[in-house]
């Protein structure tokens, strides 16, 4: 569609794929799934802005929100978002964005077994600004996640498009000119001993 807007709604057993030519806006939306763990719940593709505000996602899954599978968003905003149950992989997975994309997490609470956020830069975009404000994020490595400790961490910068180490180093998809990261007034929690 052009713009997609969803307001003050409740979804049980969510599995949504939204493709927008314009903006995707979700405000006051609750997602619930108290059944078995499922795969990703929200697939969001837009070449403009994605805004998720005042929402709760209480649905166990592998990757709870996947963005940019088939698009290059210009701006991604999570504002007052609660991931009420931990993710088995990532709470948010962003596969691709446009140049100078702003990715903002403000007043977000979420936990994951591996990473809160996986950021891939499959378009090798530059000028990406990733910011976290007033958020409480955490990792609780499960026995399955502990088998692969190199994947565990709050942020996972993943180049999944390069096929060789040489190509990966040449592309440098997460270099200084590509991604800037900022944390302001955030808390981190883990169940791992120090």
């Amino acid at each position: 569609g052009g713009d997609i807007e969803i307001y003050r709604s409740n979804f049980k057993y969510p599995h949504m794929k939204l493709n927008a030519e314009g903006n995707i806006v979700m405000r006051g939306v609750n997602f619930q799934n108290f059944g078995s763990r499922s795969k990703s719940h929200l697939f969001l593709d837009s070449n403009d802005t994605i805004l998720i505000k005042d929402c709760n996602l209480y649905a166990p899954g592998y990757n709870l929100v996947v963005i940019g599978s088939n698009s290059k968003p210009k701006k991604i905003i999570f504002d007052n978002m609660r991931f009420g149950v931990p993710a088995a992989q990532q709470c948010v997975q962003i596969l691709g964005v446009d140049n100078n994309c702003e990715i903002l997490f403000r007043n977000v609470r979420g936990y994951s077994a591996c990473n809160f956020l996986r950021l891939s830069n499959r378009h090798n975009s530059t000028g990406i600004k990733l910011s976290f404000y007033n958020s409480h994020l955490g990792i609780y490595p499960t026995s399955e996640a502990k088998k692969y400790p190199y994947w565990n961490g709050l942020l996972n910068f993943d180049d999944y498009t390069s096929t060789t180490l040489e190509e990966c180093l040449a592309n440098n998809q997460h270099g200084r000119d590509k991604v800037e990261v900022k944390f302001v007034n955030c808390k981190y929690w883990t169940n791992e001993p120090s």
Side-chain angles (χ1 to χ4, degrees):
D3 290 338
I4 298 174
E5 300 181 5
I6 302 173
Y7 294 98
R8 296 182 302 280
S9 302
N10 293 307
F11 293 93
K12 289 190 176 180
Y13 308 104
H15 183 79
M16 301 173 70
K17 292 185 179 185
L18 304 179
N19 270 313
E21 303 262 336
N23 302 319
I24 295 175
V25 176
M26 292 183 173
R27 296 185 76 156
V29 178
N30 294 302
F31 301 92
Q32 297 178 349
N33 173 10
F34 298 110
S36 61
R37 185 178 304 277
S38 62
K39 297 208 176 191
S40 304
H41 296 303
L42 300 176
F43 289 89
L44 308 176
D45 277 301
S46 163
N47 287 319
D48 210 318
T49 297
I50 297 172
L51 169 65
I52 301 176
K53 182 172 174 57
D54 303 327
C55 295
N56 296 297
L57 181 53
Y58 291 95
Y62 294 104
N63 302 305
L64 304 183
V65 179
V66 178
I67 295 174
S69 298
N70 299 297
S71 63
K72 294 169 77 173
K74 292 179 175 59
K75 186 179 279 190
I76 301 167
I77 302 169
F78 287 86
D79 189 357
N80 193 31
M81 173 76 179
R82 298 292 179 266
F83 296 92
V85 293
Q89 295 293 325
Q90 292 89 22
C91 290
V92 179
Q93 184 180 78
I94 301 174
L95 299 176
V97 297
D98 203 357
N99 289 327
N100 303 311
C101 179
E102 179 184 347
I103 305 169
L104 173 63
F105 292 87
R106 184 172 46 225
N107 301 315
V108 171
R109 188 177 188 99
Y111 305 95
S112 169
C114 292
N115 322 107
F116 172 78
L117 170 68
R118 170 187 166 191
L119 177 62
S120 296
N121 186 9
R122 67 188 185 98
H123 304 294
N124 211 7
S125 299
T126 60
I128 301 167
K129 289 184 170 54
L130 172 60
S131 304
F132 294 85
Y133 293 92
N134 304 320
S135 294
H136 193 174
L137 312 169
I139 303 296
Y140 79 108
T142 60
S143 58
E144 183 66 22
K146 287 179 184 178
K147 291 180 188 176
Y148 311 100
Y150 44 84
W151 291 113
N152 298 334
L154 188 61
L155 305 178
N156 176 3
F157 297 101
D158 179 36
D159 174 356
Y160 72 96
T161 57
S162 297
T163 56
T164 65
L165 175 60
E166 292 75 21
E167 186 181 354
C168 178
L169 293 173
N171 289 336
N172 194 23
Q173 291 183 354
H174 300 94
R176 290 182 184 182
D177 62 327
K178 309 289 174 67
V179 182
E180 175 187 314
V181 181
K182 178 168 44 172
F183 288 91
V184 177
N185 196 33
C186 293
K187 294 182 180 178
Y188 171 73
W189 174 90
T190 182
N191 67 348
E192 283 285 271
S194 320

